[in-house]
Amino acid sequence: MKMISFNQLGFRYRLGSQVFRDFSMTLSPGHVYGVLGENGVGKSTLMKLASGVLIPTAGSVTIDGREASLREEATMAKIIYLPEEFSLPALTLDEFRKVTTPFYPSFSDESFEECCRVLDVVRDRRLDKLSMGQRKRAYLAFAFACRAEWLLLDEPTNGLDVAAKEAFRRLVARYVDEGQSIIISTHSVREIDSLIDHLIILDRKGIVLDASIGEIGSRLRFGRCSAEEEPLYSESTLAGTSGVVVNTTDEESPVDIEMLFMASLRSTERLRRLFNTKTE
């Protein structure tokens, strides 16, 4: 079965603290995953481990059963990784496409043309001379056109203007299908709340929550609440008190991801218990 599996993963930077210890999680195709967590919990590290850029110090990361760290050609063709900050060679985007697409047999020229148009990409200037926002738009257009099974995006909207952010959201909605998954790690919760169908929240102990948006909405209710409902998180608004409480109704609640993230910070262990999440 197609999947990315983190199997009792351990990772420690050479001069740093332990980032992951006995960490296990499985990602399945056909989803848009959102990965949230405070700085330092390992969101970017998780992306690098999945793409084979980093090697686990214990356990393994596998893509369809093959070790990601081996970076085998057939495995790497299934993954596109866009880090938060990156450099590109002294080539135009069209030149970059010509030398890189042989590694991605599913690359679509038609999709590339569409993505460049939607993202308003500069194609005739050297990539290394572009601004960070222009480079990100160019690489996003290339990444979507590769039609890889897994698209790993670390803070993809950082550096993008309002129009480019909207174009990015349109492309995510357009290109994900049953054979693909997009994994988005971000602090900009509002940028992805209408896109994702599965949410993962991390803290320094491991996974706080790993659930579909539907499951979250069936277990939690978001909106007006009272102190008697013992909210996991609440805030005062002009309309009264809003927050996150246990859903005791048969109706699925619309999920407010930003409010849920605040609940994960204020009521971490309670949220773990509600979703039967195991720590490391």
Side-chain angles (χ1 to χ4, degrees), residues 48-266:
K48 293 174 182 177
L49 287 162
S51 61
V53 173
L54 294 178
I55 299 174
T57 52
S60 65
V61 183
T62 60
I63 302 170
D64 300 347
R66 305 293 297 175
E67 292 269 1
S69 59
L70 297 178
R71 295 185 64 81
E72 297 172 320
E73 182 177 339
T75 302
M76 291 299 98
K78 299 177 180 181
I79 282 196
I80 293 284
Y81 168 52
L82 176 66
E84 180 179 4
E85 297 182 0
F86 57 93
S87 59
L88 289 172
L91 300 170
T92 67
L93 182 58
D94 286 329
E95 291 169 339
F96 179 77
R97 175 186 62 171
K98 289 178 181 178
V99 300
T100 310
T101 52
F103 297 101
Y104 299 98
S106 297
F107 185 89
S108 167
D109 288 322
E110 181 181 354
S111 295
F112 182 67
E113 295 293 333
E114 179 185 13
C115 292
C116 286
R117 176 181 55 78
V118 171
L119 286 164
D120 192 21
V121 169
V122 177
R123 296 173 59 174
D124 58 355
R125 289 176 56 195
R126 277 177 34 182
L127 295 169
D128 62 323
K129 298 297 184 180
L130 300 178
S131 68
M132 186 62 202
Q134 290 173 325
R135 289 201 306 272
K136 184 160 283 190
R137 291 205 304 268
Y139 199 83
L140 280 168
F142 172 80
F144 278 112
C146 284
R147 307 296 289 159
E149 293 177 12
W150 300 93
L151 185 53
L152 279 58
L153 306 176
D154 193 359
E155 300 289 353
T157 59
N158 277 7
L160 298 183
D161 58 25
V162 174
K165 288 177 180 179
E166 175 57 30
F168 166 75
R169 287 191 287 269
R170 293 204 309 272
L171 289 176
V172 171
R174 167 74 173 81
Y175 280 100
V176 69
D177 59 35
E178 292 183 358
Q180 294 181 295
S181 268
I182 300 176
I183 306 167
I184 303 173
S185 169
T186 185
H187 289 97
S188 304
V189 177
R190 291 296 182 190
E191 304 287 352
I192 65 166
D193 62 357
S194 63
L195 299 174
I196 67 169
D197 61 15
H198 197 106
L199 185 64
I200 297 162
I201 301 179
L202 305 176
D203 72 356
R204 296 183 188 279
K205 292 182 180 180
I207 299 172
V208 177
L209 180 147
D210 178 3
S212 69
I213 295 299
E215 182 183 359
I216 294 169
S218 66
R219 295 196 183 194
L220 298 173
R221 181 171 59 80
F222 299 79
R224 294 286 296 274
C225 64
S226 64
E228 289 73 21
E229 293 178 286
E230 299 182 350
L232 286 81
Y233 169 77
S234 64
E235 57 189 36
S236 297
T237 69
L238 293 175
T241 300
S242 292
V244 185
V245 298
V246 175
N247 192 349
T248 57
T249 74
D250 294 328
E251 295 184 9
E252 186 176 309
S253 171
V255 176
D256 185 318
I257 294 179
E258 187 169 25
M259 198 172 283
L260 176 59
F261 181 59
M262 293 304 299
S264 77
L265 301 178
R266 301 285 180 86

